[in-house]
Amino acid sequence: MRFPSSFRLFPSFLLVLASLFATSHVAAQEPPSVVSAALKRAGIPSGAVGIYVQEASPKGRRLVADNPDLPLNPASVMKLITTDAALELLGPTFRWKTRAYAGGVQSGDVLNGDLMIKGGGDPKLVIENFWLFLRQIRAAGIRDIRGNLMLDRSMFAPEFYDAAQFDGDPSKPYNAGPDALLLNFKTLTVRFKPDGEGGATKVTLDPPLADFAVRAPALGAGECGDWQSKVQEASDEKSLIFSGVYPAACGEQTWYLHPYTMTGSEFFGDVFRQMWRDLGGSFDGKVTAGVVPPDARQIAEWQSPALPEVIRDINKYSNNVMARQVLLTIAANVGADAPDRPADTVTGGRVVGEWLASKSIAAPELVLDNGAGLSRVGRVSAGSLARLLVSAFGAPTMPEFVSSLPLVGYDGTMRRRLKNQDVAGQAHIKTGTLNNVRAIAGYVLASSGKYYAVVFLINHQNAINGQAAQDALLQWVYDRG
């Protein structure tokens, strides 16, 4: 039987078509040329990156998948896993509670017993909120406390924490550790200002600490420049000493410090004493640690902002200690052991891993050691992160999650990037930065009107030069997606 010549050519046509399809499919998985060229200029080899771009739906079109399963350090992009897990496991209305209890007998405005404060792990117990909490205690009729201030931190398991372990600079605020009674991120705002009349430098602390000595640096001449390098800081639990010279040309400047030489109880106690005095109260007792007894009388309760507000602070401004608090809160509230045992990071990591598995997100490479990404050992792949982003985009908490990410060209850690490009205002992207690590992950609303999940991780000694490649990918997704 003879077939028409056109029919005899059809199988060959199919082979050619299949070949073309296969070629285009492979090409679609490779980084676009503009990204590859930027990586080459930066001196970053292809084996040091993981890239994944997919339309933000489970069966969405995949544009790029380069080393999608390679375990890489994501730096602060790890916060996306912690915060999305919190939204789904704790719920978008979750609030942390800090409670005050009275022991002994209250006679008029005198408390003949201990004032007890039980921490609930609040990541945002900042000074303004703490002041309002103390106002509640004063409203309960207490002015003179004639016992001790007992602090209950039992919600979190006690763990040794070395603030110098990460980078050898324990005074940096990002090196503050988690605490069930974390107050003001355990951070001091130090303000320097030339005193024109006295010819000296004036230094003030916020929050102010009771019975705490501060010595100012000398006031000097010359240009401001890198003024912090001209001022040396030393501290202990009762003093903060600045030596060196503060240039008068600097005007008023701010330095944020983690008072690592003070324990959490010492810091909390000194802030409490000063603020209690400012509210007209008196307290001369000790600051002790303990557990609130069952018969204690609750007199006040402070509730944190709802979880979505907290994760906006975490993701837009990459707050590390807040992310640590959230992981421990997950451990304290979810799982078979909660709330029967104090929360620890191992439990938090296990709960998050089980949650990912329940969503059919296999991430065998995941190392989630603290929830913040401020780690040398944290690992995840671009593919696992992208699957998380796609899943989050289809969840009921999607609006809260997406809005927590920095808006490209406008706010957070992306406010200065791509300001004059078309993708500005069209993408919500979390950034991550460590030595030898540059990472981005989030969503791009392409010009087509489609949303894409985008992940781009770089681990290399030249990673600092990789921003141009990452920015090029975001613009390319906007143009081509």
Side-chain angles (χ1 to χ4, degrees):
M1 180 177 181
R2 291 179 60 86
F3 294 97
S5 59
S6 61
F7 191 86
R8 291 199 304 270
L9 292 172
F10 188 64
S12 298
F13 171 74
L14 288 178
L15 287 174
V16 172
L17 185 63
S19 176
L20 288 172
F21 175 78
T23 302
S24 65
H25 181 70
V26 171
Q29 308 308 305
E30 298 172 352
S33 58
V34 65
V35 174
S36 297
L39 286 172
K40 186 176 181 179
R41 288 193 299 272
I44 299 171
S46 60
V49 305
I51 308 175
Y52 204 101
V53 180
Q54 178 185 331
E55 191 176 342
S57 64
K59 296 181 180 180
R61 183 168 62 120
R62 186 171 62 182
L63 298 184
V64 183
D66 190 27
N67 299 323
D69 301 320
L70 180 66
L72 294 167
N73 189 326
S76 284
V77 165
M78 188 72 84
K79 293 179 175 71
L80 296 180
I81 299 176
T82 305
T83 53
D84 186 38
L87 275 172
E88 293 200 17
L89 293 172
L90 301 175
T93 61
F94 180 85
R95 296 175 185 267
W96 287 262
K97 297 179 175 65
T98 305
R99 296 183 172 99
Y101 299 83
V105 178
Q106 182 174 340
S107 177
D109 62 2
V110 177
L111 176 61
N112 293 294
D114 293 345
L115 176 68
M116 295 166 274
I117 299 180
K118 181 176 178 60
D122 187 350
K124 200 173 181 179
L125 188 59
V126 293
I127 290 305
E128 307 94 287
N129 295 342
F130 188 56
W131 183 85
L132 292 171
F133 178 53
L134 296 186
R135 286 286 301 167
Q136 288 185 23
I137 299 173
R138 287 287 283 116
I142 297 174
R143 181 189 59 81
D144 185 3
I145 303 168
R146 297 188 181 177
N148 295 323
L149 174 66
M150 193 269 278
L151 305 179
D152 183 345
R153 290 185 158 86
S154 60
M155 180 177 171
F156 293 170
E159 297 181 8
F160 173 74
Y161 181 78
D162 181 3
Q165 182 178 9
F166 178 70
D167 60 4
D169 195 349
S171 66
K172 294 292 188 184
Y174 57 72
N175 279 322
D179 186 344
L181 262 176
L182 182 71
L183 179 59
N184 205 54
F185 316 122
K186 202 190 173 193
T187 296
L188 288 171
T189 301
V190 187
R191 292 188 174 87
F192 297 82
K193 186 177 182 180
D195 184 352
E197 296 182 0
T201 305
K202 183 178 180 181
V203 177
T204 58
L205 302 182
D206 187 24
L209 305 176
D211 309 318
F212 190 85
V214 180
R215 190 168 77 189
L219 187 65
E223 296 182 357
C224 185
D226 182 15
W227 65 273
Q228 288 189 1
S229 66
K230 304 170 187 176
V231 176
Q232 293 77 49
E233 170 263 331
S235 63
D236 57 30
E237 67 277 8
K238 280 298 178 185
S239 66
L240 184 56
I241 298 170
F242 294 100
S243 56
V245 176
Y246 179 75
C250 289
E252 186 171 350
Q253 296 286 347
T254 299
W255 190 347
Y256 297 98
L257 285 174
H258 169 224
Y260 66 95
T261 56
M262 304 177 73
T263 66
S265 292
E266 289 169 341
F267 180 75
F268 194 104
D270 284 359
V271 174
F272 173 86
R273 288 179 193 275
Q274 186 60 53
M275 294 186 73
W276 191 250
R277 291 173 189 171
D278 293 343
L279 287 168
S282 61
F283 167 65
D284 295 317
K286 298 178 180 179
V287 178
T288 64
V291 177
V292 175
D295 60 348
R297 175 171 57 93
Q298 182 175 326
I299 57 173
E301 178 182 276
W302 175 257
Q303 294 193 20
S304 75
L307 179 61
E309 180 176 332
V310 170
I311 72 163
R312 277 195 293 273
D313 287 346
I314 292 173
N315 287 335
K316 283 190 182 292
Y317 306 105
S318 212
N319 190 300
N320 291 291
V321 69
M322 292 178 80
R324 291 174 182 268
Q325 298 281 113
V326 170
L327 182 65
L328 288 169
T329 301
I330 291 172
N333 288 273
V334 183
D337 297 330
D340 298 327
R341 56 177 290 178
D344 57 42
T345 53
V346 173
T347 302
R350 174 178 57 79
V351 171
V352 171
E354 292 171 350
W355 167 75
L356 287 171
S358 73
K359 300 167 73 65
S360 299
I361 299 175
E365 81 289 355
L366 177 64
V367 179
L368 180 68
D369 58 337
N370 60 33
L374 190 69
S375 166
R376 305 296 182 194
V377 301
R379 292 293 185 275
V380 73
S381 68
S384 293
L385 268 176
R387 286 188 286 275
L388 172 82
L389 290 170
V390 170
S391 174
F393 199 78
T397 51
M398 179 273 286
E400 287 80 9
F401 182 63
V402 175
S403 67
S404 77
L405 309 185
L407 182 62
V408 170
Y410 282 87
D411 69 8
T413 56
M414 288 293 296
R415 65 189 180 280
R416 294 190 179 94
R417 291 173 66 168
L418 294 157
K419 289 181 69 70
N420 299 317
Q421 300 297 314
D422 293 338
V423 73
Q426 305 301 315
H428 284 85
I429 300 294
K430 178 77 188 78
T431 62
T433 302
L434 292 175
N435 288 339
N436 302 330
V437 178
R438 290 297 185 275
I440 60 169
Y443 303 97
V444 174
L445 174 58
S447 59
S448 65
K450 297 178 180 179
Y451 276 94
Y452 286 85
V454 179
V455 181
F456 193 158
L457 311 178
I458 303 174
N459 284 193
H460 191 263
Q461 62 183 4
N462 295 330
I464 192 172
N465 302 319
Q467 179 176 312
Q470 292 175 337
D471 288 353
L473 179 66
L474 295 177
Q475 182 62 44
W476 180 85
V477 174
Y478 175 80
D479 291 334
R480 305 292 183 87

